Amino acid sequence: MSSNHQAMGQLSQFFAQMGTVHKTYLDFCRRAVGGTLSRAEIGLLLALSENCNAANDLCRSLPLSKGMVSQTLASLQKRGLVVVERSEEDRRVHPITLSPQGQSMVAELEQAAAAFVGHMMRGVSQQEMAQAESTMSKIHQNMQQLKRSL
């Protein structure tokens, strides 16, 4: 097997594992808040807590289609977790904020996230973590360059 072919196989396996980690993370958080939120709702709430406050920002930061973001926002709004407003200056703009209930839910999700990271990182040394960060940073830089060339 060529080294290129082997590298592609390893990379595919890595992405599959990271996808599993992400799903497990969202499921862990979901269970922590009583199983009442979908994975998409959890991702969207956490993105809103990180100052993504427009649907376009959410589409860029999450692996969700515009339709799924819209549907998920409607669900969260119906539950009273987010508030979607209309801008008086530009009716096309709809600022999205967390309601007080949404802020409380995000605090619970953040506690669950911290517990998850503790479980996930058990047995991983500082040196191993530094190496992983360095490698991921290089991969990210390469992908940013590739993205600009497309």
Side-chain angles (χ1 to χ4, degrees):
M1 183 184 312
S2 75
S3 63
N4 224 10
H5 187 67
Q6 185 178 8
M8 287 181 0
Q10 289 172 332
L11 192 57
S12 292
Q13 184 179 10
F14 173 77
F15 286 137
Q17 290 169 343
M18 286 299 98
T20 300
V21 168
H22 189 248
K23 287 177 185 174
T24 304
Y25 163 71
L26 292 174
D27 288 343
F28 186 91
C29 289
R30 184 173 191 232
R31 192 175 83 213
V33 295
T36 59
L37 298 173
S38 70
R39 289 175 181 160
E41 289 170 328
I42 291 168
L44 210 132
L45 284 172
L46 291 172
L48 285 169
S49 73
E50 296 172 2
N51 293 323
C52 278
N53 60 359
N56 285 339
D57 294 340
L58 294 167
C59 289
R60 280 190 292 275
S61 68
L62 298 169
L64 300 174
S65 67
K66 286 183 181 184
M68 186 62 162
V69 166
S70 178
Q71 181 181 352
T72 304
L73 277 173
S75 173
L76 291 171
Q77 189 175 18
K78 188 175 180 180
R79 292 171 182 247
L81 298 173
V82 300
V83 177
V84 181
E85 302 171 10
R86 284 199 185 274
S87 170
E88 292 302 318
E89 297 89 42
D90 186 347
R91 298 226 180 245
R92 297 170 296 174
V93 177
H94 303 278
I96 304 161
T97 57
L98 293 167
S99 69
Q101 185 181 354
Q103 291 172 0
S104 176
M105 182 68 74
V106 165
E108 288 181 53
L109 290 169
E110 288 174 344
Q111 286 179 344
F116 178 83
V117 169
H119 287 290
M120 184 177 69
M121 299 309 291
R122 193 174 297 141
V124 177
S125 72
Q126 291 288 349
Q127 182 181 0
E128 291 169 321
M129 191 61 207
Q131 182 61 50
E133 281 184 43
S134 174
T135 301
M136 291 310 298
S137 178
K138 288 175 186 174
I139 290 171
H140 182 261
Q141 288 172 359
N142 292 341
M143 291 302 97
Q144 292 295 74
Q145 289 174 349
L146 180 61
K147 187 176 177 181
R148 284 192 290 272
S149 71
L150 297 178

